[in-house]
Amino acid sequence: QSTWGESDTTILMAKLDAAAAEAEAEAFVKDNLKFSVVDPILDKSGQAFCFCVQSLTDSSSKEFVKVYKLPQKPKDDDTENIRKWRLYRSRAVRERTAMIELKEKDETGHYWPVYINGNAEESEIDSSKIFFLQTSFICGKTLKEICQNDKIAIDVAIKCTLKLLQIVSAAGERLHRDIKPGNIMLRDDKMDQPVLIDWGLTFSPTDDSEHRTIFENKDSVGTRFFALPESNNEITKTIQDQEYLHKNRYDKRCDATLCVGILFYLITGRNPEALVPQPHNHDEIISRFKDYGRVGASVLQLFDEMFQVEITRRLEVEVVIQKLKDILDLMGNQSKSSLSETLQNWQMLGPIAPTEIPRNDDWLAVQK
C-alpha cells in the first residue's frame, strides 16, 4: 500500500533536473500560451511550476498559470511506478474538472480561483502532453506564510475558519480533501478573505470517469498536516472496521474536520496531525482554553465533537458553521475591556511548545 503525497512525487521527480524543467515550463508559458511571466511562484511540493503571468497584448491584469511537471514515463513492465505516474497525471485532470464545475457555482473568485483555460484530459493521461491550468490570480500570501510571522487571535481564527466552512458548503457535493495552510490563499493578506486553492485531490459523485476512482482503497489522500482515518490507510491499518471507514471517505464531514483542524492550528500554532490521540487532549492546551471562559469551553467542545475517529459521529458542515457563529456571539457579549485583555494575554502566550505535547515516533512537531 502506498501513501500518495509529496514523498512519492519527489521519487518520481528525482531524475529530473529542476532548473531545466522550470526553464522548459516557462518557455511553454511564453511560446504556447503567449504570456509574459511576471513572477515565478515558488512551489516546493514537486507537483507543478506556478507562474503569475500577463498577456503580451494587455498588461493591465494578472493571471495564474500552473504547468504540471512531467516526470519521464516509467517502463510498461514497472507496474507500481506506472500506477504512481498515472496518479500524478490524474491530479491535473481532477483539478481542471473541479475548477470548471466550481466556476458554475461561483464566478466571483471569493471562494476559489476562477477557471479560465486548461488542457488536462483523461484521454491523454498516458500521453506525454504537457498539462496546464490557467485561473484568476489571487493577490496575497498563503495562510502558512502569514502564520509563520504573526500570532493569530482567537476571534480572527474563528472568523477565518467560518469563511472556510462557507467555501466547503458552497462547493456542494465536491470535496477538497487537502485543506491545509499552504492551500489557503489570503486575498490581500486579509485573514477574513481566505480562498481555497489546489483541488488536485478533489472528489465529487459527478466525476464519473476514471480519475474518479483512481485514488481508491490502496491509496491515501491528504497530507501530514491532518491525516484523517477515512482517507489515510496508514491510520486505518490500526482500526478494525476499515470497510466502514472507506465507505465514508467521501463524506463532506471530512472537509469540515479539516477546517476545524485549521482552527486548532491558528489558535495553538500546532498542526493537528491526527485524531488519535485527539490533538487538543492535553493539559497545557485545555488549561489555556479554560482561561478563556465560556468561549474557550465552547471551542473545546467543538474540538471534542469534530475530532472523532468515526466520521458519522462528527457534525455536519452547516452545524459547525452555526456553532462558530454562536461562539462569535458569545465573544460579542463579553465586555470590551475583558475581551481585549483576554485576547492580549492569549497572544502574549504564543504557540504551544512542541516538547509540551505527547507524541509517538511518527508525530512531527511543527511550530508556528
Side-chain angles (χ1 to χ4, degrees):
Q1 294 187 345
S2 67
T3 300
W4 178 249
E6 293 181 7
S7 59
D8 284 327
T9 310
T10 303
I11 292 171
L12 288 173
M13 298 300 299
K15 296 182 179 179
L16 182 65
D17 184 278
E22 182 173 0
E24 181 182 357
E26 185 167 343
F28 174 82
V29 170
K30 293 177 179 178
D31 300 338
N32 294 66
L33 305 182
K34 306 302 181 185
F35 286 113
S36 62
V37 174
V38 177
D39 185 32
I41 300 171
L42 296 179
D43 179 7
K44 300 300 184 183
S45 67
Q47 296 169 5
F49 292 108
C50 303
F51 302 96
C52 171
V53 303
Q54 62 187 22
S55 169
L56 294 174
T57 58
D58 180 12
S59 60
S60 61
S61 62
K62 297 178 181 178
E63 293 174 1
F64 173 85
V65 170
K66 175 186 289 188
V67 178
Y68 296 89
K69 292 180 181 177
L70 183 61
Q72 185 176 1
K73 186 176 181 180
K75 296 179 179 180
D76 291 338
D77 59 354
D78 189 353
T79 308
E80 179 59 16
N81 279 327
I82 279 285
R83 189 181 72 85
K84 291 178 180 178
W85 186 83
R86 298 189 80 250
L87 285 173
Y88 171 80
R89 297 280 284 168
S90 77
R91 290 180 67 121
V93 179
R94 277 177 173 268
E95 186 161 23
R96 178 172 179 257
T97 301
M99 298 314 295
I100 291 173
E101 177 191 307
L102 292 171
K103 182 178 181 179
E104 296 177 358
K105 297 178 183 294
D106 178 72
E107 293 190 52
T108 65
H110 292 156
Y111 293 152
W112 39 72
V114 178
Y115 174 81
I116 298 174
N117 195 11
N119 69 341
E121 299 281 355
E122 183 189 333
S123 61
E124 298 192 78
I125 282 181
D126 291 316
S127 73
S128 58
K129 183 176 182 178
I130 296 178
F131 285 163
F132 78 93
L133 178 71
Q134 178 186 351
T135 69
S136 59
F137 179 73
I138 309 299
C139 183
K141 298 184 181 70
T142 65
L143 187 65
K144 182 178 181 179
E145 291 172 310
I146 292 292
C147 290
Q148 285 177 342
N149 301 314
D150 297 326
K151 297 173 183 176
I152 308 302
I154 189 170
D155 58 332
V156 176
I158 291 173
K159 290 175 183 177
C160 181
T161 306
L162 184 57
K163 290 283 188 180
L164 286 173
L165 285 161
Q166 290 168 344
I167 294 173
V168 167
S169 177
E173 292 185 301
R174 182 166 292 281
L175 278 72
H176 187 282
R177 301 200 293 181
D178 195 18
I179 299 173
K180 60 184 179 180
N183 283 344
I184 300 167
M185 295 291 299
L186 298 176
R187 188 185 301 278
D188 299 324
D189 297 342
K190 295 179 180 178
M191 288 291 298
D192 62 346
Q193 294 188 33
V195 178
L196 197 52
I197 64 171
D198 197 350
W199 291 74
L201 295 180
T202 184
F203 171 84
S204 173
T206 59
D207 296 341
D208 58 357
S209 54
E210 182 181 356
H211 67 271
R212 170 184 173 180
T213 57
I214 201 165
F215 288 90
E216 278 309 319
N217 289 355
K218 341 192 267 188
D219 299 297
S220 299
V221 296
T223 66
R224 292 176 181 173
F225 169 72
F226 199 3
L228 299 180
E230 61 268 15
S231 56
N232 190 301
N233 269 5
E234 296 305 309
I235 299 173
T236 57
K237 286 177 184 176
T238 64
I239 298 174
Q240 194 170 22
D241 193 359
Q242 292 192 34
E243 182 180 353
Y244 165 82
L245 288 168
H246 286 305
K247 280 195 306 185
N248 292 283
R249 73 184 311 189
Y250 304 129
D251 193 306
K252 285 288 285 189
R253 283 171 286 192
C254 171
D255 275 2
T257 307
L258 292 173
C259 288
V260 177
I262 292 289
L263 177 62
F264 177 85
Y265 165 80
L266 291 174
I267 294 175
T268 67
R270 316 244 15 101
N271 285 8
E273 296 290 342
L275 293 178
V276 181
Q278 288 183 311
H280 67 294
N281 192 15
H282 177 64
D283 289 344
E284 170 68 16
I285 294 177
I286 291 174
S287 63
R288 185 184 295 193
F289 276 93
K290 283 184 176 178
D291 289 342
Y292 203 66
R294 291 177 62 195
V295 170
S298 297
V299 174
L300 280 176
Q301 183 183 7
L302 179 62
F303 290 159
D304 281 337
E305 293 169 318
M306 293 304 292
F307 295 160
Q308 297 287 328
V309 171
E310 295 183 14
I311 195 169
T312 54
R313 296 181 62 184
R314 302 178 212 159
L315 304 177
E316 299 284 355
V317 177
E318 300 303 327
V319 177
V320 183
I321 288 175
Q322 186 56 53
K323 279 187 172 284
L324 287 181
K325 289 180 177 179
D326 292 343
I327 293 172
L328 287 175
D329 288 340
L330 267 180
M331 298 186 73
N333 291 331
Q334 291 187 30
S335 67
K336 290 185 178 180
S337 59
S338 172
L339 178 61
S340 176
E341 181 180 354
T342 307
L343 290 176
Q344 185 178 11
N345 290 340
W346 185 287
Q347 289 183 287
M348 287 176 64
L349 285 170
I352 308 294
T355 54
E356 294 173 345
I357 299 182
R359 54 188 173 128
N360 55 39
D361 292 339
D362 297 325
W363 195 92
L364 301 176
V366 182
Q367 208 173 359
K368 197 181 345 177

